[in-house]
Amino acid sequence: MNAAVLPHAPLEPAAVRSIIVGLMLAILLGALDQTIVSVALPRMAEQLHGFDLLAWVVSGYLVASTVATPIYGKLGDLFGRRIMLLSAIALFLIASLGCALAQSMPELVGARVIQGLGGGGLISISQTIIADVVSLRERGRYQGYISGVYAVSSVAGPVVGGLLTHYLSWRWCFWINLVLGPLAFLVSRRALARLPVPGVRRPIDYLGALLLSAGLAALLIAITRVGQGLPWNERPNLALLGSAGVILALFIVWERRAAEPIVPLPLFKIPAVALCCAVLFLAYFNLIAISVLLPLRFQIVAGVGADSAAWRLVPLSLMIPCGAFCAGRVMVKTGRYRPVQMAGAAIVPLALLAIGLVDVHSISLTALAMAAAGLGIGLQFPSSLVAVQNAVPPHNIGVATAATALFRSLGGAIGIAVLSTILLASLHSGAAITGTSEVGGAMLHSILGTAASADAAGDRAIRALAEEAFLRIFLVGAAVALVPFGLTFLVPDSTLSARIKTEPESPPAGAQEGAGLARGRPS
């Protein structure tokens, strides 16, 4: 039997604002740590003597947070959002302490994996809570705030990490969580006290959670290895990809039989859910990849330092929350989400094409193109999320929201892997020009050093080769960004309700699952 959600009176605006503040703090913690360490990695490896595990300081967190996201969504539906969010914050803070105190690279990577398990809950649960307290029509505005904080935290992470590492220590990339985290915990604990909680306990799909975690972990580890420059057909990668395929196939078979599946597969028969998850996947495919690769372009081609390269991301960082805010305001005013989605999806491919074609030395034109990309991506975040929440029954809002977070994370991981592979392959083809036979990340470091010290002719050759490689990346990104534009025409359009969705009296499980999921009509 499905859990009944205890009825609750609509919250006062002051209470809603208090909840939003707590959620924004939680999102800030989870999203910032996805990228905050990227600039500090060389210093970490130098002090901890572990260059061979360097990439996993970032990848370990991303893999763990992605794997944990759908599980938190389901557990939030079962046990209540408040207890799950507070548990995620506590786990995140304990792991942050472990990262700050790490004395070796294996210790740091292990703590980062645990930190990612907490970070996945911070993001997915926070976005779900808005559905419990805000009507669909108003939800776009608040989801815009949350999406803006998430996107800005992801893109601004390298800037913050660089400043902390330069002026304090790389360990402050983690100590800062112990400053912000307790505040997020206390604010969330108090603000979320009035959230609805499940009135019926249901069984937990432990086997489904195990299969999903193992399958996604194998897939993401393989993708990450490819993105680090290792051949996709290397034996360990083939073994990981094969294992991922078998385990995820078993997961699908099991979920069709489970009494209380961790991911109800009928959700993806709802057109709005499937299409909007695809839109978010492709939006993050480009966002995370360009936020990581653009600083490299500025350093190799424009010849600026790491700190200046990070600051040049500011137009992208600022326009994402602007886009999310505008999307929320338009949805509140019109009660519709698809026109906002379509506008954002139309802007992004043009902006990425402009980024690739504009001379990187033209700071103003590059900033304008990056701002346009940020605006387009920002418009897609809250509109896609609200469309999903609008399409599912109330008792599945948590797992549906977690599904959007899962596809965002997968898009980011796969985007980095695919575009990094294209970049590395393009640079490796010009090994005679770059003067290095190395591959992967080591080749990028060598090229950065060569570009800084080469004579005038060699310097021009390296920069020309790199610019051609980066142009290829942005052309691929623009082509990928055309797909969401086509998908938005297929997303069902509807008018958002001004009421908060609430769970009806508990009907028989089969009746509600069959009627609510198969029908898939927005309320």
Side-chain angles (χ1 to χ4, degrees), residues 325-400:
F325 176 79
C326 292
R329 298 303 299 179
V330 171
M331 285 190 287
V332 168
K333 188 172 183 178
T334 66
R336 299 176 64 203
Y337 48 80
R338 193 172 75 169
V340 180
Q341 263 188 322
M342 296 178 71
I347 293 171
V348 174
L350 297 175
L352 292 179
L353 186 62
I355 292 174
L357 295 176
V358 166
D359 185 355
V360 72
H361 295 92
S362 176
I363 297 177
S364 57
L365 289 178
T366 301
L368 183 62
M370 291 169 58
L375 175 65
I377 292 173
L379 289 172
Q380 294 178 69
F381 288 163
S383 54
S384 298
L385 182 55
V386 169
V388 169
Q389 293 179 340
N390 183 54
V392 301
H395 65 280
N396 280 134
I397 282 180
V399 71

Side-chain angles (χ1 to χ4, degrees), residues 9 32 58 99 111 123 141 147 162 164 189 220 250 291 368 370 413 418 445 519:
L32 193 64
V58 175
C99 291
I123 294 168
R141 175 173 33 160
S147 296
L164 290 174
R189 184 175 182 273
L220 288 171
L250 291 174
S291 66
L368 183 62
M370 291 169 58
V418 170
H445 287 297
R519 183 172 64 247

Side-chain angles (χ1 to χ4, degrees), residues 299-512:
Q299 291 178 73
I300 296 175
V301 180
V304 302
D307 53 345
S308 297
W311 281 113
R312 289 198 186 191
L313 286 177
V314 168
L316 178 68
S317 304
L318 289 180
M319 288 308 294
I320 290 172
C322 288
F325 176 79
C326 292
R329 298 303 299 179
V330 171
M331 285 190 287
V332 168
K333 188 172 183 178
T334 66
R336 299 176 64 203
Y337 48 80
R338 193 172 75 169
V340 180
Q341 263 188 322
M342 296 178 71
I347 293 171
V348 174
L350 297 175
L352 292 179
L353 186 62
I355 292 174
L357 295 176
V358 166
D359 185 355
V360 72
H361 295 92
S362 176
I363 297 177
S364 57
L365 289 178
T366 301
L368 183 62
M370 291 169 58
L375 175 65
I377 292 173
L379 289 172
Q380 294 178 69
F381 288 163
S383 54
S384 298
L385 182 55
V386 169
V388 169
Q389 293 179 340
N390 183 54
V392 301
H395 65 280
N396 280 134
I397 282 180
V399 71
T401 304
T404 65
L406 170 64
F407 278 88
R408 284 201 314 265
S409 298
L410 286 173
I414 293 175
I416 291 176
V418 170
L419 296 184
S420 295
T421 299
I422 294 173
L423 173 65
L424 295 172
S426 300
L427 294 175
H428 189 65
S429 65
I433 297 175
T434 62
T436 176
S437 59
E438 296 171 308
V439 297
M443 179 175 61
L444 287 177
H445 287 297
S446 295
I447 290 175
L448 283 169
T450 304
S453 60
D455 56 44
D459 182 65
R460 284 196 300 271
I462 290 172
R463 295 183 193 281
L465 173 67
E467 182 62 357
E468 182 180 345
F470 281 108
L471 174 59
R472 188 173 291 115
I473 284 174
F474 289 109
L475 290 177
V476 171
V480 170
L482 285 173
V483 179
F485 181 64
L487 294 178
T488 55
F489 285 92
L490 304 176
V491 175
D493 199 9
S494 66
T495 301
L496 298 172
S497 171
R499 298 181 297 107
I500 299 176
K501 267 190 175 183
T502 56
E503 188 74 76
E505 294 299 322
S506 301
Q512 185 159 345

Side-chain angles (χ1 to χ4, degrees), residues 284-303:
Y284 261 82
F285 179 102
N286 278 315
L287 172 62
I288 301 300
I290 64 176
S291 66
V292 171
L293 297 176
L294 266 173
L296 280 176
R297 185 194 188 199
F298 294 142
Q299 291 178 73
I300 296 175
V301 180

Side-chain angles (χ1 to χ4, degrees), residues 92-187:
F92 183 86
L93 292 178
I94 293 171
S96 296
L97 179 63
C99 291
L101 297 175
Q103 299 300 309
S104 67
M105 192 60 77
E107 288 180 17
L108 179 59
V109 171
R112 282 286 284 173
V113 170
I114 298 172
Q115 192 184 37
L117 294 176
L122 296 179
I123 294 168
S124 63
I125 295 293
S126 295
Q127 290 187 314
T128 306
I129 287 173
I130 295 180
D132 292 328
V133 299
V134 180
S135 70
L136 279 163
R137 186 144 185 169
E138 289 286 326
R139 198 173 299 163
R141 175 173 33 160
Y142 294 105
Q143 291 290 9
Y145 299 152
I146 296 296
S147 296
V149 170
Y150 179 84
V152 169
S153 300
S154 298
V155 177
V159 178
V160 176
L163 294 174
L164 290 174
T165 302
H166 181 73
Y167 290 104
L168 296 171
S169 162
W170 64 262
R171 296 183 186 274
W172 270 95
C173 294
F174 307 111
W175 286 124
I176 193 173
N177 293 330
L178 301 177
V179 176
L180 298 174
L183 179 61
F185 185 93
L186 294 175
V187 171

